[in-house]
Amino acid sequence: MYETPLTALVLSGGGARAAYQVGVLQALAQMRQRVLGPMARLRNPFGVICGTSAGAINAAALASQADNFERAVDSIAQVWSQFSADQVYRADSLGVIRSGAQWLTMVSVGWIIARWRRARPKSLLDNSPLDSLLRRLVPLERLPDMFMQRQLHALAVTASSYTTGDHYTFFDAAQPVTLWERTQRVAVQMPLSHAHLLASSAIPFVFPATQLSVAGQSGWFGDGSMRQSSPLSPAVHLGAQRMLIIGASRMNEPAGRMTEGQGYPSLAQIGGHAMSSIFLDALSVDIERMRRINRTLALLPDYAQADTPLRPMEALVIAPSQRLDNIAARHLGALPPAVRALLRGVGVGGRGPEARGAALASYLLFEAPFTQELMALGAADTHARYDEVMQFFGWNSLTPGRRRESAHEPDILI
């Protein structure tokens, strides 16, 4: 059984930055085990799980093992803590030459030669190794049992259609759900496959698109963060009464921070800025929108609230307390040599404070030194907000007299 009230877990995208989510989940599992003891294994804390891009992979792995939350978190953490880039994309010289070098040639002056030779490079990197990893990490064949056992209410992953231009939420649920459709947003209830996860995590330009069939029509899909104007919407439509949202960047960056370099921006800087717009901005905007709705509803009398379909949503947002770009800058040397050489061509290089293009590289840094540091940060940020977490889940009532461990004031209504 999943816990009540129906709680959604919302995991954002961000490539290798999704390691932060795993650290948060580890800390939650530890807190929950400490409070509930053996009872923790009987209930799943999240009845609705929604994920985008790399967050979709983490979401599906959790949902497929919803009957044992702690074990699911352990299995995900084991992969992320021992990550190497070759588990996600071809990082050897031959693989990089076949994809990245050819792609860069086509988009530069060599496009004429590429056209003449009918070369059709699909992406900067070849992510074929990811398919094998997904089949080991995400046992989707267990989902029907999770629904039947009422360990899970719904799993949703998102992808963007290059064919139609629409943003899709693909979901599976224990019961039929009324579909929703908004401007350029479509919801489809269907059995989920590893192809949906490959599509959701296909970072534009970096990884190739994935072909999916929807209502008998075939189309090409890419990363779910593209055109995702309302990341929280699937959880709301799937019936969540409250939600835990885990971001992949600081929600409020300090004002007036310096940008790298003073000259014309490199392709890596422009690419990093574009990636932030795709992966990070929509979530912050949607959280702000929800806060405004909550404040507005709080001002309405009861009879007026009864006449509106809107309802206040209790939510807890956990996001990095440090800039992940800065952490990535310390680990650029962990990238495979062939990938470093490829990224150097677009302006990624250096180390520490002198590093360039770290924002772009952070999405591809599937290497243990980087992912382990992000996991540690996620765990530390969660433990630092101990009281808020306990209040959100109602665990504080089970531990009377527990010493306050957080200096932060609770702020979980958004």
Side-chain angles (χ1 to χ4, degrees), residues 17 24 51 99 106 123 130 135 178 250 271 273 283 289 296-297 312 322 362 370-371 377 401 405:
R17 291 169 171 248
V24 174
S99 57
M106 188 193 73
S123 59
L130 180 58
R135 296 184 187 280
T178 301
R250 296 180 66 177
H273 185 75
L283 180 61
R289 182 186 300 121
T296 300
L297 290 175
Q322 301 177 28
S362 69
F370 180 60
T371 58
L377 177 62
E405 295 185 5

Side-chain angles (χ1 to χ4, degrees), residues 114-375:
R115 182 177 180 182
W116 177 260
R117 293 181 178 177
R118 297 184 181 278
R120 294 292 186 270
K122 296 179 178 179
S123 59
L124 190 64
L125 295 169
D126 174 5
N127 68 340
S128 55
L130 180 58
D131 184 60
S132 297
L133 176 62
L134 291 179
R135 296 184 187 280
R136 296 195 309 272
L137 178 64
V138 188
L140 287 173
E141 67 277 4
R142 300 189 77 241
L143 276 181
D145 287 340
M146 298 301 97
F147 293 134
M148 187 177 300
Q149 297 173 23
R150 297 193 63 197
Q151 293 286 356
L152 186 69
H153 176 69
L155 166 66
V157 301
T158 63
S160 183
S161 173
Y162 292 119
T163 305
T164 68
D166 292 326
H167 181 270
Y168 279 75
T169 296
F170 298 103
F171 71 94
D172 201 358
Q175 302 292 334
V177 175
T178 301
L179 300 181
W180 64 94
E181 188 167 342
R182 301 291 185 270
T183 303
Q184 296 183 328
R185 287 192 284 143
V186 181
V188 179
Q189 184 169 1
M190 64 187 303
L192 300 179
S193 68
H194 293 107
H196 290 96
L197 303 182
L198 283 172
S200 183
S201 58
I203 300 175
F205 301 112
V206 177
F207 297 141
T210 299
Q211 194 169 22
L212 298 174
S213 179
V214 182
Q217 300 293 319
S218 181
W220 292 96
F221 288 78
D223 199 288
S225 296
M226 295 186 292
R227 311 201 77 167
Q228 188 181 38
S229 58
S230 186
L232 306 183
S233 175
V236 175
H237 284 289
L238 291 171
Q241 296 167 291
R242 63 184 183 186
M243 61 179 74
L244 171 66
I245 305 161
I246 306 179
S249 73
R250 296 180 66 177
M251 292 290 105
N252 298 292
E253 295 285 6
R257 65 182 187 278
M258 296 294 292
T259 57
E260 56 180 42
Q262 298 299 320
Y264 190 83
S266 67
L267 287 177
Q269 283 180 266
I270 295 172
H273 185 75
M275 290 295 182
S276 295
S277 298
I278 292 171
F279 286 107
L280 310 177
D281 292 350
L283 180 61
S284 298
V285 170
D286 212 17
I287 290 172
E288 290 179 1
R289 182 186 300 121
M290 184 177 286
R291 285 175 172 154
R292 288 197 300 271
I293 292 173
N294 277 350
R295 287 196 295 266
T296 300
L297 290 175
L299 298 174
L300 297 179
D302 291 343
Y303 71 87
Q305 290 192 34
D307 288 338
T308 176
L310 298 176
R311 55 188 172 85
M313 178 65 68
E314 183 183 11
L316 174 62
V317 182
I318 299 180
S321 59
Q322 301 177 28
R323 292 193 67 204
L324 302 193
D325 299 0
N326 294 343
I327 298 176
R330 300 196 290 268
H331 296 288
L332 293 181
L335 283 166
V339 178
R340 289 205 308 273
L342 178 67
L343 294 179
R344 194 177 302 123
V346 295
V348 177
R351 294 187 180 182
E354 304 301 320
R356 305 177 306 279
L360 177 62
S362 69
Y363 297 94
L364 303 177
L365 255 169
F366 293 96
E367 296 291 342
F370 180 60
T371 58
Q372 288 175 7
E373 186 165 351
L374 295 197
M375 290 169 65

